[in-house]
Amino acid sequence: MGKGATVPMQTSLPKAAAELLEQREFGLLIGGRQRTAGDGSTRDVIDPSTEQVIARVPEATPQDVADAVDAARRAQPAWAALGLRGRADVFEEIARRVVEHREEFAILDAVDAGNPIRAMRKDLEHAVQSIRDWPRLALSMQGATIPASVGNLHYTTHEPYGVVGRILAFNHPALFAITRILAALVVGNTVVVKPAAQTPLSALAFGATIADVVPEGVVNVVSGGAATGDAITTHPIVKRIGFTGSLATGLLIQKRAATVGAKHVSLELGGKNAMIVFPDADLEQAVAGARKGMNFEACQGQSCGSTSRIFVHDSLHDEFVDRYAASVEEITVGPAYNDGSQMGPVISDAHHERVSSYIRSARDDGARLVTGGGRPATLDTQLGYFLAPTIFSEVRPEMPVAREEVFGPVSSILRWSDYEAVLEQANAVEYGLTASIWTNNLHAAHATAHRLNAGYIWINDTTTHYWGTPFGGFKNSGVGREESVEELYSYCEQKVVHTILDDSTEAFGLRV
Ligand code: NAD
């Protein structure tokens, strides 16, 4: 069990969070106005640190979604006509509002997602930076002139789809609600965004905060679960959907979208990401990279990019295991809104059980539990969905804990000695989101990067998303790329325009 500091548990929310929840009205944002669900439905929001219901939020009905899409459709032409400069001015106002309210959003993420507040403050810093960065990046978008015929002009433009639907995962609620709409907006689309059912608070608060700085209908926020998401997916006006979540839901969304027409659906899905430690790796840095790569201290390991399969060369294996265990045992697990907590609880009771079932199966399959494996001994209550950072060694590639996305604080170490075999094992999962290579041999590093089937590869690093570089996965980790100019183009339709510059249509090789 963890040796982190003993954490006095609170069974009620701290004052700042309680006041915030009392003062704030968590309404849907539709057409610039906050409102309840059309049929009055609500959903309980649970604090995973205490298991208490802390708020009730509207559960948007299909009619609410239809109203949101309609508001977005009406707002879109004027938003597009503002031009990039006009939209950049609105983005600057959004950035100011987020700066003003960032502590509030961080608290809300701590209370409904269970992510440590110190990590959520960092998320908000990234969000503000991102709001300011997208208009700059959009200025670099380019069309082409193409020499397709003699004496004429053929050029391309990029035009917004219209109304974009954005459906989000639970693990970085405010960061996603704010940043995952920006690429669509900056190129002239309007959006209907749905936060995850478990973590709606910061998205609804964000909607309320920007309602008077964004033209009405440009951003619409609808909270709800699968039925709300399905209403966005199957709305015929929503031609472009951006989804962040699990493989199973992503595949369902592709199918459901196709029932109403040809839609552009991009998917940011799961990962089962490999980290490979070579014999010449700097051991201390590799251990630090492994701890950071698990995202224990950002979101309890509930991250698509977590490097949760660590292949360590035989020559370093035992020392790596000892040092890695000692490092994660220092992590203080406790209520997410305590400044001293470095790691909070996982998202829900059901998810706690799911992660625990992988821990049980790894033990049953003969993996060695090095540390963790259950509730941290340092907690003085049985409330909250807490798990200690958990490390298994002697994991074999065929075990479920080494093949499937656990999406929790469980790290698997596999021993290797044969280079071809480790590459084969690293690639032998259905996902291909990130990978991490630890060596000082330049040739080995790049040769390995070349042969790994993953979309985002670090050499002697983990975790960090470098904004401006395309993020996304191979295989079942998704379709499309985000956080880069590629994402901007993905929110546009491309158009080609042919201009006849002389009076001879023969130049095309055909007569019309
Ligand atoms: P999830 O698939 O359960 O839910 C994601 C979203 O889809 C939620 O908003 C949910 O309400 C909605 N949804 C559920 N059923 C739906 C349906 N039938 N139609 C439309 N919408 C529906 O995923 P989750 O548990 O919130 O998130 C965890 C998963 O997300 C993990 O697999 C993780 O790897 C992945 N993820 C990927 C990235 C990435 O960038 N690749 C980032 C974060 C999370």
Side-chain angles (χ1 to χ4, degrees), residues 100-222:
E100 264 173 51
H101 292 267
R102 63 189 160 183
E103 181 64 13
E104 178 183 335
F105 298 156
I107 292 174
L108 293 175
D109 279 1
V111 295
D112 70 3
N115 293 345
I117 187 152
R118 50 165 87 182
M120 294 302 92
R121 289 187 183 120
K122 278 198 197 133
D123 272 14
L124 267 305
E125 275 172 35
H126 292 153
V128 171
Q129 189 61 48
S130 192
I131 300 166
R132 296 194 164 125
D133 281 341
W134 275 112
R136 295 180 194 136
L137 194 62
L139 208 50
S140 72
M141 291 178 79
Q142 293 181 346
T145 57
I146 302 162
S149 72
V150 178
N152 298 309
L153 175 63
H154 310 272
Y155 64 90
T156 63
T157 61
H158 294 94
E159 300 184 10
Y161 276 94
V163 180
V164 166
R166 257 324 215 153
I167 301 172
L168 303 174
F170 71 78
N171 52 334
H172 291 276
L175 183 73
F176 285 167
I178 298 168
T179 63
R180 292 321 194 236
I181 62 175
L182 298 173
L185 285 175
V186 80
V187 296
N189 298 285
T190 52
V191 296
V192 177
V193 57
K194 189 191 90 59
Q198 307 93 323
T199 56
L201 297 181
S202 57
L204 295 173
F206 170 64
T209 302
I210 62 163
D212 63 334
V213 297
V214 174
E216 65 179 49
V218 167
V219 176
N220 303 273
V221 186
V222 289

Side-chain angles (χ1 to χ4, degrees), residues 168-171 194 196 229 243-246 249 268-270 304 405 407:
L168 303 174
F170 71 78
N171 52 334
K194 189 191 90 59
F243 172 74
T244 306
S246 64
T249 310
E268 284 287 344
L269 307 175
C304 55
E405 185 185 45
F407 214 60

Side-chain angles (χ1 to χ4, degrees), residues 437-482:
I437 300 162
W438 291 80
T439 177
N440 289 312
N441 180 318
L442 202 60
H443 173 75
H446 289 285
T448 306
H450 183 64
R451 294 183 60 188
L452 285 174
N453 299 328
Y456 208 80
I457 297 185
W458 297 280
I459 294 172
N460 297 324
D461 193 11
T462 52
T463 311
T464 310
H465 294 207
Y466 294 91
W467 196 86
T469 64
F471 185 82
F474 283 25
K475 300 191 277 185
N476 273 344
S477 286
V479 177
R481 294 293 180 270
E482 295 190 343

